[in-house]
Each structure stands twice: as structure tokens, then as C-alpha cells.
């Protein structure tokens, strides 16, 4: 009788990112395509971890073009070229960027609080996708409580529960602890994708890079050091 196929290796993946980070949207789409390619070999337990690109961003946000030019010191033409490269990378992995709608950069602390709550509710991955899509594809204000509550409801989370989280300040300490933890371990840019708490893949890498990393880490599990 033929041997049954081996069971998939279950990997913990910590996806450290921000919801206003375009390369995080690209990286997540690439990672998920890599997981599709390794289906049957790898099962992922993904945890979305907080990182704020602009922790001091005021509540009203800031004009996106001006912010990027000021923060990175690049002329308008270079900033526009960079944006077009991101749009093309997104399209290649099935993510739609509409930079005409994404006019402002927003504070994301409350979005991260909502993501922590969504993990406890078992809907974190769905909310992460909805937040990235809401910001980059639809141009929505992901700091606005009404908008956040509506996005949460769109993925099956209770809207009133989302409003309670947002209005109460719940999960704030958990977000701060998570941010400090990953910063203390050298994470300075995102996305940072950490497999099994020790193997780091940095940036919005192509699908093939994530696929190779998944296979290598899965193959190493259970083998003697």
C-alpha cells in the first residue's frame, strides 16, 4: 500500500507592517501567492503585528505627495516614478493601487488597535485586507472611527464592537508593546515577515522569494540542528 502523503508543516508567520505602507500590500499579496504555491506542504498561522511608519502623524493627516517628498527628500518627478513602480508591482500580484484616490497619509494607531481586537475575534486577516484595500484602492481615511467601524463590519465583525474598541482606547497597550518588541529586535522598516520567530524576509519581495523561504524553513523543521 502506498505511503500517505506527509502532512503539511505548520509555520508561524509574523507579518510586521502598517496599513498605509504600499510595499506591505505588495508583500502580503506575494506571500499569499507563495502560500498557494506551497499548498499541501505548508500551512500558515499568520499574525499581523503593528508598525507605525508615522507615529507622530496628527489626526488630520497630511498631504501624501508633500509628505513623501519631505520625508524622503525626493523631487516630485522621482516620487511620481516611485509611485508608478509600486502600482505596477501591485498589479503583478493582483493588488490594485489607485494613487489618485490616496491623497493623504493618516495616523494608523487606531487601525492597529482594531487589528488586535480582530485577531481575538478570529477575523484579523480579513480586516487587514480590507484596511489595505480601503486605503490604497478606495482612498478611505483609515484614522476615522466611522470609517474603521464600517470596514470592520464589511468583513463580518460586529460594528458596535468595533466602535466600543475605538472609543474606549482598548488594545492600546498591546499595540505599544508589540511595536516596542519588534523595534527592539531590529525591525526598522516594513514589511518584515518573520517565519517561526527567527527567519526574516524583508520588504515586498517577489512571490518566488517567499516561496523559497517557506520551503526552506518547512524543510528545516524537525531536522536536528
Amino acid at each position: 500500500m502506498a505511503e500517505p502523503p506527509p502532512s503539511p508543516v505548520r509555520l508561524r508567520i509574523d507579518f510586521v507592517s502598517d496599513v498605509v505602507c504600499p510595499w506591505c500590500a505588495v508583500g502580503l499579496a506575494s506571500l499569499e501567492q507563495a502560500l498557494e504555491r506551497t499548498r499541501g506542504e505548508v500551512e500558515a498561522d499568520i499574525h499581523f503585528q503593528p508598525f507605525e511608519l508615522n507615529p507622530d502623524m496628527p489626526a488630520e493627516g497630511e498631504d501624501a505627495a508633500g509628505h513623501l517628498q519631505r520625508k524622503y527628500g525626493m523631487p516630485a518627478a522621482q516620487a511620481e516614478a516611485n509611485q508608478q513602480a509600486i502600482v505596477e508591482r501591485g498589479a503583478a500580484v493582483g493588488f490594485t493601487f489607485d494613487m489618485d484616490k490616496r491623497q493623504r497619509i493618516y495616523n494608523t494607531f487606531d487601525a492597529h488597535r482594531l487589528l488586535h481586537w480582530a485577531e481575538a475575534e478570529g477575523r484579523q486577516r480579513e480586516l487587514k485586507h480590507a484596511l489595505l484595500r480601503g486605503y490604497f484602492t478606495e482612498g478611505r481615511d483609515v484614522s476615522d472611527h466611522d470609517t474603521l467601524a464600517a470596514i470592520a463590519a464589511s468583513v463580518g465583525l460586529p460594528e458596535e464592537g468595533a466602535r466600543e474598541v475605538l472609543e474606549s482606547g482598548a488594545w492600546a497597550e498591546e499595540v505599544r508593546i508589540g511595536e516596542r518588541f519588534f523595534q527592539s529586535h531590529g525591525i526598522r522598516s516594513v514589511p518584515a515577515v518573520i517565519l517561526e520567530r527567527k527567519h526574516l524576509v524583508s520588504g515586498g519581495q517577489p512571490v518566488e522569494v517567499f516561496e523559497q523561504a517557506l520551503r526552506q524553513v518547512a524543510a528545516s523543521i524537525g531536522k536536528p540542528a
Side-chain angles (χ1 to χ4, degrees), residues 37-52:
R37 292 185 183 184
T38 57
R39 181 182 292 274
E41 304 169 56
V42 174
E43 287 185 0
D45 182 17
I46 303 179
H47 301 265
F48 292 97
Q49 305 291 359
F51 188 99
E52 292 177 86

Side-chain angles (χ1 to χ4, degrees), residues 5-216:
S7 298
V9 175
R10 190 161 192 85
L11 298 182
R12 178 187 172 99
I13 301 177
D14 288 288
F15 194 94
V16 187
S17 62
D18 200 354
V19 299
V20 295
C21 162
W23 289 111
C24 296
V26 171
L28 179 56
S30 292
L31 171 64
E32 291 184 330
Q33 288 192 18
L35 287 167
E36 281 297 315
R37 292 185 183 184
T38 57
R39 181 182 292 274
E41 304 169 56
V42 174
E43 287 185 0
D45 182 17
I46 303 179
H47 301 265
F48 292 97
Q49 305 291 359
F51 188 99
E52 292 177 86
L53 289 174
N54 305 289
D56 299 321
M57 181 65 65
E60 67 273 15
E62 188 176 343
D63 174 73
H67 170 83
L68 293 170
Q69 291 173 41
R70 176 182 56 78
K71 183 173 182 178
Y72 298 107
M74 63 178 66
Q78 183 183 351
E80 186 174 340
N82 286 355
Q83 295 294 295
Q84 185 56 36
I86 290 169
V87 170
E88 292 171 2
R89 279 292 305 277
V93 290
F95 187 89
T96 301
F97 288 98
D98 189 334
M99 296 306 189
D100 290 333
K101 290 182 178 177
R102 198 235 18 197
Q103 294 292 321
R104 297 186 72 76
I105 305 286
Y106 297 107
N107 186 291
T108 58
F109 185 71
D110 285 342
H112 286 299
R113 290 198 295 117
L114 209 60
L115 282 163
H116 263 272
W117 168 70
E119 182 171 31
E121 296 288 317
R123 307 288 291 180
Q124 189 185 41
R125 190 167 176 178
E126 293 87 346
L127 181 59
K128 182 71 169 185
H129 277 286
L131 288 168
L132 289 169
R133 186 170 58 250
Y135 179 65
F136 285 111
T137 308
E138 301 164 2
R140 301 173 78 177
D141 179 353
V142 290
S143 69
D144 177 73
H145 285 189
D146 288 340
T147 300
L148 288 171
I151 291 174
S154 75
V155 298
L157 287 159
E159 184 170 350
E160 285 307 309
R163 290 186 182 278
E164 287 177 10
V165 169
L166 293 166
E167 292 167 9
S168 69
W171 301 96
E173 185 60 23
E174 288 83 352
V175 171
R176 294 297 189 210
I177 290 171
E179 289 178 331
R180 289 194 296 267
F181 175 83
F182 288 101
Q183 289 170 6
S184 72
H185 284 75
I187 302 301
R188 298 287 181 267
S189 63
V190 289
V193 185
I194 306 166
L195 310 180
E196 288 293 297
R197 301 183 188 269
K198 58 184 177 180
H199 305 280
L200 173 65
V201 181
S202 296
Q205 297 291 342
V207 177
E208 293 75 15
V209 172
F210 284 114
E211 180 183 2
Q212 182 181 33
L214 290 168
R215 292 187 192 281
Q216 288 179 342

